[in-house]
Amino acid sequence: METRSVAVVLAALSLAAALTACSPTAPESSPTGGGATSGSTSGSSTPTPQKTSPSPSPSATSAALPADCKALLSADVLSQLGDTPLNSPVFGPSGVQSDGSLICIWADPKADTTSITTTISRKYRGEALDMLNGLVKTEGFSCYTPSQGTRCEKEWADPTYPVTDGRTLFWRDDVLIDTRYSNLAPTGYTSSIVASIFGS
């Protein structure tokens, strides 16, 4: 138990360090699916997560939120999705929302579990850091810093069906790409979205 606790603490500290190193203006991909940055050093070398209120409006470095689910994906990723329906009303709200966020739901209403859902929304630095640190500490997510942002991910066995479920998050420039999937994980999915929004 003690060893496991130490491992969790070390993972959390590593994430905090990674998030600090990856500010919205700092430089610096990977498989499937979509994570955040920030921290400060108050007189010590260990990054300390800050709890800051989200800014009332996008900053000068904030990336624009997209408005088209298909346009976000490369031809290769779209070919992997094949004829999977996009944004069927059966699954609830999708497309551009009143707050400017975008929900993309790739799923067949006739399938029991096969789906991939991505929500792209505005998420400011302190809020994003708190969220991602929480996923590392309490849910065992792994995080790293590709494409000038932070990416956190985890996979697990579906509790009902013999398939793999997962969640991937990517955060950069006040934009959070949050993808949850079950038995549907096209190679390069998140990387394609990141390239579409940020250009790299």
PDB file of all heavy atoms in Angstrom, residues 159-194:
ATOM      1  N   PRO A 159     -16.885  -2.845 -18.600  1.00  0.00           N
ATOM      2  CA  PRO A 159     -17.481  -3.679 -17.555  1.00  0.00           C
ATOM      3  C   PRO A 159     -18.584  -4.616 -18.041  1.00  0.00           C
ATOM      4  O   PRO A 159     -18.927  -5.585 -17.362  1.00  0.00           O
ATOM      5  CB  PRO A 159     -18.051  -2.655 -16.564  1.00  0.00           C
ATOM      6  CG  PRO A 159     -18.284  -1.437 -17.385  1.00  0.00           C
ATOM      7  CD  PRO A 159     -17.198  -1.422 -18.406  1.00  0.00           C
ATOM      8  N   THR A 160     -19.116  -4.348 -19.234  1.00  0.00           N
ATOM      9  CA  THR A 160     -20.235  -5.148 -19.741  1.00  0.00           C
ATOM     10  C   THR A 160     -19.877  -6.000 -20.944  1.00  0.00           C
ATOM     11  O   THR A 160     -20.290  -7.154 -21.058  1.00  0.00           O
ATOM     12  CB  THR A 160     -21.422  -4.233 -20.112  1.00  0.00           C
ATOM     13  OG1 THR A 160     -21.755  -3.421 -18.975  1.00  0.00           O
ATOM     14  CG2 THR A 160     -22.632  -5.053 -20.536  1.00  0.00           C
ATOM     15  N   TYR A 161     -19.080  -5.434 -21.851  1.00  0.00           N
ATOM     16  CA  TYR A 161     -18.749  -6.124 -23.098  1.00  0.00           C
ATOM     17  C   TYR A 161     -17.250  -6.451 -23.156  1.00  0.00           C
ATOM     18  O   TYR A 161     -16.444  -5.776 -22.509  1.00  0.00           O
ATOM     19  CB  TYR A 161     -19.136  -5.255 -24.298  1.00  0.00           C
ATOM     20  CG  TYR A 161     -20.594  -4.881 -24.312  1.00  0.00           C
ATOM     21  CD1 TYR A 161     -21.026  -3.658 -23.791  1.00  0.00           C
ATOM     22  CD2 TYR A 161     -21.553  -5.750 -24.839  1.00  0.00           C
ATOM     23  CE1 TYR A 161     -22.371  -3.313 -23.793  1.00  0.00           C
ATOM     24  CE2 TYR A 161     -22.899  -5.418 -24.851  1.00  0.00           C
ATOM     25  CZ  TYR A 161     -23.302  -4.199 -24.320  1.00  0.00           C
ATOM     26  OH  TYR A 161     -24.638  -3.857 -24.314  1.00  0.00           O
ATOM     27  N   PRO A 162     -16.860  -7.447 -23.939  1.00  0.00           N
ATOM     28  CA  PRO A 162     -15.438  -7.813 -24.043  1.00  0.00           C
ATOM     29  C   PRO A 162     -14.677  -6.899 -24.996  1.00  0.00           C
ATOM     30  O   PRO A 162     -14.099  -7.335 -25.994  1.00  0.00           O
ATOM     31  CB  PRO A 162     -15.508  -9.259 -24.574  1.00  0.00           C
ATOM     32  CG  PRO A 162     -16.754  -9.267 -25.412  1.00  0.00           C
ATOM     33  CD  PRO A 162     -17.731  -8.372 -24.697  1.00  0.00           C
ATOM     34  N   VAL A 163     -14.696  -5.597 -24.708  1.00  0.00           N
ATOM     35  CA  VAL A 163     -14.023  -4.608 -25.550  1.00  0.00           C
ATOM     36  C   VAL A 163     -13.228  -3.652 -24.653  1.00  0.00           C
ATOM     37  O   VAL A 163     -13.369  -3.660 -23.432  1.00  0.00           O
ATOM     38  CB  VAL A 163     -15.042  -3.809 -26.399  1.00  0.00           C
ATOM     39  CG1 VAL A 163     -15.831  -4.745 -27.315  1.00  0.00           C
ATOM     40  CG2 VAL A 163     -15.990  -3.013 -25.497  1.00  0.00           C
ATOM     41  N   THR A 164     -12.434  -2.821 -25.281  1.00  0.00           N
ATOM     42  CA  THR A 164     -11.629  -1.841 -24.548  1.00  0.00           C
ATOM     43  C   THR A 164     -12.277  -0.469 -24.594  1.00  0.00           C
ATOM     44  O   THR A 164     -12.702   0.002 -25.656  1.00  0.00           O
ATOM     45  CB  THR A 164     -10.216  -1.746 -25.158  1.00  0.00           C
ATOM     46  OG1 THR A 164      -9.577  -3.020 -25.033  1.00  0.00           O
ATOM     47  CG2 THR A 164      -9.382  -0.692 -24.443  1.00  0.00           C
ATOM     48  N   ASP A 165     -12.360   0.169 -23.431  1.00  0.00           N
ATOM     49  CA  ASP A 165     -12.842   1.538 -23.325  1.00  0.00           C
ATOM     50  C   ASP A 165     -11.650   2.435 -23.003  1.00  0.00           C
ATOM     51  O   ASP A 165     -10.603   1.968 -22.539  1.00  0.00           O
ATOM     52  CB  ASP A 165     -13.877   1.682 -22.213  1.00  0.00           C
ATOM     53  CG  ASP A 165     -15.162   0.931 -22.514  1.00  0.00           C
ATOM     54  OD1 ASP A 165     -15.329   0.460 -23.660  1.00  0.00           O
ATOM     55  OD2 ASP A 165     -16.002   0.807 -21.602  1.00  0.00           O
ATOM     56  N   GLY A 166     -11.793   3.728 -23.195  1.00  0.00           N
ATOM     57  CA  GLY A 166     -10.709   4.624 -22.855  1.00  0.00           C
ATOM     58  C   GLY A 166     -11.114   6.081 -22.898  1.00  0.00           C
ATOM     59  O   GLY A 166     -12.215   6.437 -23.321  1.00  0.00           O
ATOM     60  N   ARG A 167     -10.192   6.895 -22.425  1.00  0.00           N
ATOM     61  CA  ARG A 167     -10.404   8.349 -22.463  1.00  0.00           C
ATOM     62  C   ARG A 167      -9.062   9.011 -22.712  1.00  0.00           C
ATOM     63  O   ARG A 167      -8.043   8.628 -22.131  1.00  0.00           O
ATOM     64  CB  ARG A 167     -10.982   8.839 -21.139  1.00  0.00           C
ATOM     65  CG  ARG A 167     -11.310  10.334 -21.118  1.00  0.00           C
ATOM     66  CD  ARG A 167     -11.873  10.755 -19.777  1.00  0.00           C
ATOM     67  NE  ARG A 167     -12.219  12.174 -19.751  1.00  0.00           N
ATOM     68  CZ  ARG A 167     -12.572  12.844 -18.653  1.00  0.00           C
ATOM     69  NH1 ARG A 167     -12.632  12.207 -17.482  1.00  0.00           N
ATOM     70  NH2 ARG A 167     -12.864  14.133 -18.713  1.00  0.00           N
ATOM     71  N   THR A 168      -9.058   9.980 -23.607  1.00  0.00           N
ATOM     72  CA  THR A 168      -7.857  10.741 -23.919  1.00  0.00           C
ATOM     73  C   THR A 168      -8.200  12.226 -23.876  1.00  0.00           C
ATOM     74  O   THR A 168      -9.221  12.638 -24.420  1.00  0.00           O
ATOM     75  CB  THR A 168      -7.332  10.374 -25.318  1.00  0.00           C
ATOM     76  OG1 THR A 168      -7.085   8.968 -25.390  1.00  0.00           O
ATOM     77  CG2 THR A 168      -6.052  11.112 -25.632  1.00  0.00           C
ATOM     78  N   LEU A 169      -7.339  13.006 -23.236  1.00  0.00           N
ATOM     79  CA  LEU A 169      -7.538  14.448 -23.164  1.00  0.00           C
ATOM     80  C   LEU A 169      -6.286  15.151 -23.651  1.00  0.00           C
ATOM     81  O   LEU A 169      -5.166  14.703 -23.379  1.00  0.00           O
ATOM     82  CB  LEU A 169      -7.834  14.893 -21.732  1.00  0.00           C
ATOM     83  CG  LEU A 169      -9.000  14.210 -21.028  1.00  0.00           C
ATOM     84  CD1 LEU A 169      -8.503  13.049 -20.158  1.00  0.00           C
ATOM     85  CD2 LEU A 169      -9.788  15.196 -20.165  1.00  0.00           C
ATOM     86  N   PHE A 170      -6.481  16.238 -24.371  1.00  0.00           N
ATOM     87  CA  PHE A 170      -5.351  17.057 -24.813  1.00  0.00           C
ATOM     88  C   PHE A 170      -5.694  18.511 -24.548  1.00  0.00           C
ATOM     89  O   PHE A 170      -6.774  18.983 -24.908  1.00  0.00           O
ATOM     90  CB  PHE A 170      -5.070  16.847 -26.309  1.00  0.00           C
ATOM     91  CG  PHE A 170      -3.899  17.658 -26.814  1.00  0.00           C
ATOM     92  CD1 PHE A 170      -2.622  17.120 -26.803  1.00  0.00           C
ATOM     93  CD2 PHE A 170      -4.079  18.960 -27.267  1.00  0.00           C
ATOM     94  CE1 PHE A 170      -1.532  17.870 -27.244  1.00  0.00           C
ATOM     95  CE2 PHE A 170      -2.998  19.721 -27.703  1.00  0.00           C
ATOM     96  CZ  PHE A 170      -1.722  19.176 -27.693  1.00  0.00           C
ATOM     97  N   TRP A 171      -4.764  19.228 -23.889  1.00  0.00           N
ATOM     98  CA  TRP A 171      -4.993  20.657 -23.589  1.00  0.00           C
ATOM     99  C   TRP A 171      -3.862  21.509 -24.126  1.00  0.00           C
ATOM    100  O   TRP A 171      -2.683  21.166 -23.990  1.00  0.00           O
ATOM    101  CB  TRP A 171      -5.099  20.873 -22.081  1.00  0.00           C
ATOM    102  CG  TRP A 171      -5.425  22.310 -21.730  1.00  0.00           C
ATOM    103  CD1 TRP A 171      -6.668  22.861 -21.572  1.00  0.00           C
ATOM    104  CD2 TRP A 171      -4.493  23.367 -21.493  1.00  0.00           C
ATOM    105  NE1 TRP A 171      -6.561  24.199 -21.254  1.00  0.00           N
ATOM    106  CE2 TRP A 171      -5.230  24.531 -21.206  1.00  0.00           C
ATOM    107  CE3 TRP A 171      -3.098  23.441 -21.499  1.00  0.00           C
ATOM    108  CZ2 TRP A 171      -4.635  25.762 -20.922  1.00  0.00           C
ATOM    109  CZ3 TRP A 171      -2.492  24.670 -21.222  1.00  0.00           C
ATOM    110  CH2 TRP A 171      -3.262  25.810 -20.944  1.00  0.00           C
ATOM    111  N   ARG A 172      -4.245  22.606 -24.748  1.00  0.00           N
ATOM    112  CA  ARG A 172      -3.270  23.578 -25.230  1.00  0.00           C
ATOM    113  C   ARG A 172      -3.997  24.885 -25.533  1.00  0.00           C
ATOM    114  O   ARG A 172      -5.121  24.876 -26.044  1.00  0.00           O
ATOM    115  CB  ARG A 172      -2.579  23.045 -26.498  1.00  0.00           C
ATOM    116  CG  ARG A 172      -1.630  24.036 -27.169  1.00  0.00           C
ATOM    117  CD  ARG A 172      -0.990  23.409 -28.400  1.00  0.00           C
ATOM    118  NE  ARG A 172      -0.383  24.405 -29.264  1.00  0.00           N
ATOM    119  CZ  ARG A 172       0.177  24.146 -30.439  1.00  0.00           C
ATOM    120  NH1 ARG A 172       0.215  22.900 -30.883  1.00  0.00           N
ATOM    121  NH2 ARG A 172       0.686  25.112 -31.175  1.00  0.00           N
ATOM    122  N   ASP A 173      -3.379  26.004 -25.239  1.00  0.00           N
ATOM    123  CA  ASP A 173      -3.894  27.326 -25.588  1.00  0.00           C
ATOM    124  C   ASP A 173      -5.365  27.513 -25.235  1.00  0.00           C
ATOM    125  O   ASP A 173      -6.164  27.993 -26.044  1.00  0.00           O
ATOM    126  CB  ASP A 173      -3.684  27.599 -27.088  1.00  0.00           C
ATOM    127  CG  ASP A 173      -2.210  27.652 -27.463  1.00  0.00           C
ATOM    128  OD1 ASP A 173      -1.367  27.744 -26.558  1.00  0.00           O
ATOM    129  OD2 ASP A 173      -1.904  27.603 -28.668  1.00  0.00           O
ATOM    130  N   ASP A 174      -5.718  27.114 -24.015  1.00  0.00           N
ATOM    131  CA  ASP A 174      -7.081  27.288 -23.484  1.00  0.00           C
ATOM    132  C   ASP A 174      -8.146  26.443 -24.177  1.00  0.00           C
ATOM    133  O   ASP A 174      -9.341  26.728 -24.073  1.00  0.00           O
ATOM    134  CB  ASP A 174      -7.516  28.768 -23.534  1.00  0.00           C
ATOM    135  CG  ASP A 174      -6.618  29.661 -22.691  1.00  0.00           C
ATOM    136  OD1 ASP A 174      -5.987  29.143 -21.750  1.00  0.00           O
ATOM    137  OD2 ASP A 174      -6.548  30.880 -22.965  1.00  0.00           O
ATOM    138  N   VAL A 175      -7.724  25.410 -24.887  1.00  0.00           N
ATOM    139  CA  VAL A 175      -8.670  24.502 -25.543  1.00  0.00           C
ATOM    140  C   VAL A 175      -8.460  23.086 -25.014  1.00  0.00           C
ATOM    141  O   VAL A 175      -7.322  22.599 -24.966  1.00  0.00           O
ATOM    142  CB  VAL A 175      -8.497  24.514 -27.083  1.00  0.00           C
ATOM    143  CG1 VAL A 175      -9.375  23.438 -27.731  1.00  0.00           C
ATOM    144  CG2 VAL A 175      -8.855  25.885 -27.644  1.00  0.00           C
ATOM    145  N   LEU A 176      -9.544  22.440 -24.604  1.00  0.00           N
ATOM    146  CA  LEU A 176      -9.483  21.055 -24.135  1.00  0.00           C
ATOM    147  C   LEU A 176     -10.197  20.141 -25.119  1.00  0.00           C
ATOM    148  O   LEU A 176     -11.357  20.369 -25.470  1.00  0.00           O
ATOM    149  CB  LEU A 176     -10.150  20.922 -22.765  1.00  0.00           C
ATOM    150  CG  LEU A 176     -10.182  19.502 -22.193  1.00  0.00           C
ATOM    151  CD1 LEU A 176      -8.767  19.025 -21.846  1.00  0.00           C
ATOM    152  CD2 LEU A 176     -11.086  19.426 -20.960  1.00  0.00           C
ATOM    153  N   ILE A 177      -9.482  19.110 -25.573  1.00  0.00           N
ATOM    154  CA  ILE A 177     -10.052  18.076 -26.438  1.00  0.00           C
ATOM    155  C   ILE A 177     -10.236  16.847 -25.559  1.00  0.00           C
ATOM    156  O   ILE A 177      -9.261  16.252 -25.101  1.00  0.00           O
ATOM    157  CB  ILE A 177      -9.115  17.755 -27.622  1.00  0.00           C
ATOM    158  CG1 ILE A 177      -8.800  19.019 -28.424  1.00  0.00           C
ATOM    159  CG2 ILE A 177      -9.715  16.674 -28.515  1.00  0.00           C
ATOM    160  CD1 ILE A 177      -7.612  18.867 -29.367  1.00  0.00           C
ATOM    161  N   ASP A 178     -11.472  16.466 -25.303  1.00  0.00           N
ATOM    162  CA  ASP A 178     -11.772  15.379 -24.367  1.00  0.00           C
ATOM    163  C   ASP A 178     -12.515  14.275 -25.108  1.00  0.00           C
ATOM    164  O   ASP A 178     -13.657  14.455 -25.535  1.00  0.00           O
ATOM    165  CB  ASP A 178     -12.631  15.932 -23.221  1.00  0.00           C
ATOM    166  CG  ASP A 178     -12.847  14.916 -22.110  1.00  0.00           C
ATOM    167  OD1 ASP A 178     -12.524  13.733 -22.301  1.00  0.00           O
ATOM    168  OD2 ASP A 178     -13.352  15.313 -21.041  1.00  0.00           O
ATOM    169  N   THR A 179     -11.860  13.142 -25.277  1.00  0.00           N
ATOM    170  CA  THR A 179     -12.423  12.040 -26.058  1.00  0.00           C
ATOM    171  C   THR A 179     -12.628  10.802 -25.194  1.00  0.00           C
ATOM    172  O   THR A 179     -11.719  10.363 -24.506  1.00  0.00           O
ATOM    173  CB  THR A 179     -11.495  11.679 -27.237  1.00  0.00           C
ATOM    174  OG1 THR A 179     -11.372  12.809 -28.102  1.00  0.00           O
ATOM    175  CG2 THR A 179     -12.047  10.500 -28.025  1.00  0.00           C
ATOM    176  N   ARG A 180     -13.820  10.239 -25.259  1.00  0.00           N
ATOM    177  CA  ARG A 180     -14.144   8.982 -24.587  1.00  0.00           C
ATOM    178  C   ARG A 180     -14.537   7.981 -25.677  1.00  0.00           C
ATOM    179  O   ARG A 180     -15.302   8.326 -26.581  1.00  0.00           O
ATOM    180  CB  ARG A 180     -15.300   9.167 -23.595  1.00  0.00           C
ATOM    181  CG  ARG A 180     -14.983  10.174 -22.490  1.00  0.00           C
ATOM    182  CD  ARG A 180     -16.244  10.526 -21.703  1.00  0.00           C
ATOM    183  NE  ARG A 180     -16.025  11.642 -20.790  1.00  0.00           N
ATOM    184  CZ  ARG A 180     -15.804  11.527 -19.490  1.00  0.00           C
ATOM    185  NH1 ARG A 180     -15.791  10.329 -18.941  1.00  0.00           N
ATOM    186  NH2 ARG A 180     -15.614  12.599 -18.733  1.00  0.00           N
ATOM    187  N   TYR A 181     -14.020   6.760 -25.561  1.00  0.00           N
ATOM    188  CA  TYR A 181     -14.301   5.797 -26.618  1.00  0.00           C
ATOM    189  C   TYR A 181     -14.520   4.401 -26.058  1.00  0.00           C
ATOM    190  O   TYR A 181     -14.103   4.071 -24.955  1.00  0.00           O
ATOM    191  CB  TYR A 181     -13.177   5.783 -27.654  1.00  0.00           C
ATOM    192  CG  TYR A 181     -11.791   5.536 -27.092  1.00  0.00           C
ATOM    193  CD1 TYR A 181     -11.243   4.251 -27.069  1.00  0.00           C
ATOM    194  CD2 TYR A 181     -11.023   6.581 -26.592  1.00  0.00           C
ATOM    195  CE1 TYR A 181      -9.972   4.023 -26.565  1.00  0.00           C
ATOM    196  CE2 TYR A 181      -9.744   6.357 -26.087  1.00  0.00           C
ATOM    197  CZ  TYR A 181      -9.233   5.071 -26.071  1.00  0.00           C
ATOM    198  OH  TYR A 181      -7.971   4.845 -25.572  1.00  0.00           O
ATOM    199  N   SER A 182     -15.222   3.602 -26.849  1.00  0.00           N
ATOM    200  CA  SER A 182     -15.477   2.212 -26.505  1.00  0.00           C
ATOM    201  C   SER A 182     -15.461   1.388 -27.782  1.00  0.00           C
ATOM    202  O   SER A 182     -16.285   1.614 -28.687  1.00  0.00           O
ATOM    203  CB  SER A 182     -16.847   2.072 -25.817  1.00  0.00           C
ATOM    204  OG  SER A 182     -17.111   0.713 -25.505  1.00  0.00           O
ATOM    205  N   ASN A 183     -14.489   0.485 -27.885  1.00  0.00           N
ATOM    206  CA  ASN A 183     -14.386  -0.405 -29.044  1.00  0.00           C
ATOM    207  C   ASN A 183     -14.256   0.347 -30.365  1.00  0.00           C
ATOM    208  O   ASN A 183     -14.600  -0.182 -31.414  1.00  0.00           O
ATOM    209  CB  ASN A 183     -15.607  -1.337 -29.100  1.00  0.00           C
ATOM    210  CG  ASN A 183     -15.378  -2.527 -30.008  1.00  0.00           C
ATOM    211  OD1 ASN A 183     -14.296  -3.089 -30.056  1.00  0.00           O
ATOM    212  ND2 ASN A 183     -16.414  -2.924 -30.735  1.00  0.00           N
ATOM    213  N   LEU A 184     -13.805   1.598 -30.318  1.00  0.00           N
ATOM    214  CA  LEU A 184     -13.609   2.382 -31.535  1.00  0.00           C
ATOM    215  C   LEU A 184     -12.514   3.408 -31.263  1.00  0.00           C
ATOM    216  O   LEU A 184     -12.756   4.424 -30.622  1.00  0.00           O
ATOM    217  CB  LEU A 184     -14.909   3.091 -31.938  1.00  0.00           C
ATOM    218  CG  LEU A 184     -14.859   3.899 -33.241  1.00  0.00           C
ATOM    219  CD1 LEU A 184     -14.521   2.993 -34.434  1.00  0.00           C
ATOM    220  CD2 LEU A 184     -16.192   4.615 -33.480  1.00  0.00           C
ATOM    221  N   ALA A 185     -11.308   3.114 -31.743  1.00  0.00           N
ATOM    222  CA  ALA A 185     -10.167   3.995 -31.477  1.00  0.00           C
ATOM    223  C   ALA A 185      -9.299   4.113 -32.721  1.00  0.00           C
ATOM    224  O   ALA A 185      -8.245   3.475 -32.834  1.00  0.00           O
ATOM    225  CB  ALA A 185      -9.347   3.445 -30.313  1.00  0.00           C
ATOM    226  N   PRO A 186      -9.708   4.951 -33.679  1.00  0.00           N
ATOM    227  CA  PRO A 186      -8.924   5.101 -34.906  1.00  0.00           C
ATOM    228  C   PRO A 186      -7.509   5.600 -34.612  1.00  0.00           C
ATOM    229  O   PRO A 186      -7.312   6.509 -33.805  1.00  0.00           O
ATOM    230  CB  PRO A 186      -9.713   6.158 -35.695  1.00  0.00           C
ATOM    231  CG  PRO A 186     -11.099   6.109 -35.120  1.00  0.00           C
ATOM    232  CD  PRO A 186     -10.918   5.784 -33.678  1.00  0.00           C
ATOM    233  N   THR A 187      -6.539   5.021 -35.263  1.00  0.00           N
ATOM    234  CA  THR A 187      -5.153   5.450 -35.099  1.00  0.00           C
ATOM    235  C   THR A 187      -4.992   6.889 -35.575  1.00  0.00           C
ATOM    236  O   THR A 187      -5.429   7.249 -36.666  1.00  0.00           O
ATOM    237  CB  THR A 187      -4.218   4.539 -35.916  1.00  0.00           C
ATOM    238  OG1 THR A 187      -4.374   3.198 -35.464  1.00  0.00           O
ATOM    239  CG2 THR A 187      -2.763   4.965 -35.749  1.00  0.00           C
ATOM    240  N   GLY A 188      -4.379   7.727 -34.733  1.00  0.00           N
ATOM    241  CA  GLY A 188      -4.127   9.116 -35.108  1.00  0.00           C
ATOM    242  C   GLY A 188      -5.311  10.046 -34.924  1.00  0.00           C
ATOM    243  O   GLY A 188      -5.265  11.206 -35.351  1.00  0.00           O
ATOM    244  N   TYR A 189      -6.365   9.583 -34.259  1.00  0.00           N
ATOM    245  CA  TYR A 189      -7.586  10.389 -34.104  1.00  0.00           C
ATOM    246  C   TYR A 189      -7.308  11.723 -33.403  1.00  0.00           C
ATOM    247  O   TYR A 189      -7.591  12.799 -33.944  1.00  0.00           O
ATOM    248  CB  TYR A 189      -8.619   9.577 -33.326  1.00  0.00           C
ATOM    249  CG  TYR A 189      -9.939  10.278 -33.092  1.00  0.00           C
ATOM    250  CD1 TYR A 189     -10.965  10.201 -34.033  1.00  0.00           C
ATOM    251  CD2 TYR A 189     -10.168  10.993 -31.920  1.00  0.00           C
ATOM    252  CE1 TYR A 189     -12.187  10.833 -33.812  1.00  0.00           C
ATOM    253  CE2 TYR A 189     -11.379  11.627 -31.690  1.00  0.00           C
ATOM    254  CZ  TYR A 189     -12.388  11.543 -32.633  1.00  0.00           C
ATOM    255  OH  TYR A 189     -13.592  12.168 -32.412  1.00  0.00           O
ATOM    256  N   THR A 190      -6.759  11.672 -32.210  1.00  0.00           N
ATOM    257  CA  THR A 190      -6.509  12.908 -31.468  1.00  0.00           C
ATOM    258  C   THR A 190      -5.448  13.768 -32.145  1.00  0.00           C
ATOM    259  O   THR A 190      -5.581  14.987 -32.224  1.00  0.00           O
ATOM    260  CB  THR A 190      -6.089  12.599 -30.024  1.00  0.00           C
ATOM    261  OG1 THR A 190      -7.181  11.990 -29.345  1.00  0.00           O
ATOM    262  CG2 THR A 190      -5.704  13.866 -29.270  1.00  0.00           C
ATOM    263  N   SER A 191      -4.403  13.130 -32.638  1.00  0.00           N
ATOM    264  CA  SER A 191      -3.344  13.879 -33.315  1.00  0.00           C
ATOM    265  C   SER A 191      -3.892  14.647 -34.517  1.00  0.00           C
ATOM    266  O   SER A 191      -3.453  15.774 -34.804  1.00  0.00           O
ATOM    267  CB  SER A 191      -2.243  12.922 -33.780  1.00  0.00           C
ATOM    268  OG  SER A 191      -1.634  12.297 -32.665  1.00  0.00           O
ATOM    269  N   SER A 192      -4.859  14.055 -35.202  1.00  0.00           N
ATOM    270  CA  SER A 192      -5.477  14.719 -36.348  1.00  0.00           C
ATOM    271  C   SER A 192      -6.242  15.962 -35.911  1.00  0.00           C
ATOM    272  O   SER A 192      -6.173  17.017 -36.544  1.00  0.00           O
ATOM    273  CB  SER A 192      -6.416  13.741 -37.061  1.00  0.00           C
ATOM    274  OG  SER A 192      -7.055  14.357 -38.171  1.00  0.00           O
ATOM    275  N   ILE A 193      -6.965  15.848 -34.800  1.00  0.00           N
ATOM    276  CA  ILE A 193      -7.721  16.991 -34.277  1.00  0.00           C
ATOM    277  C   ILE A 193      -6.762  18.090 -33.819  1.00  0.00           C
ATOM    278  O   ILE A 193      -6.973  19.288 -34.091  1.00  0.00           O
ATOM    279  CB  ILE A 193      -8.628  16.559 -33.121  1.00  0.00           C
ATOM    280  CG1 ILE A 193      -9.706  15.598 -33.641  1.00  0.00           C
ATOM    281  CG2 ILE A 193      -9.278  17.777 -32.456  1.00  0.00           C
ATOM    282  CD1 ILE A 193     -10.590  15.007 -32.550  1.00  0.00           C
ATOM    283  N   VAL A 194      -5.700  17.699 -33.140  1.00  0.00           N
ATOM    284  CA  VAL A 194      -4.711  18.665 -32.658  1.00  0.00           C
ATOM    285  C   VAL A 194      -4.103  19.430 -33.845  1.00  0.00           C
ATOM    286  O   VAL A 194      -3.983  20.666 -33.820  1.00  0.00           O
ATOM    287  CB  VAL A 194      -3.596  17.952 -31.858  1.00  0.00           C
ATOM    288  CG1 VAL A 194      -2.426  18.901 -31.597  1.00  0.00           C
ATOM    289  CG2 VAL A 194      -4.155  17.421 -30.550  1.00  0.00           C
TER     290      VAL A 194
END
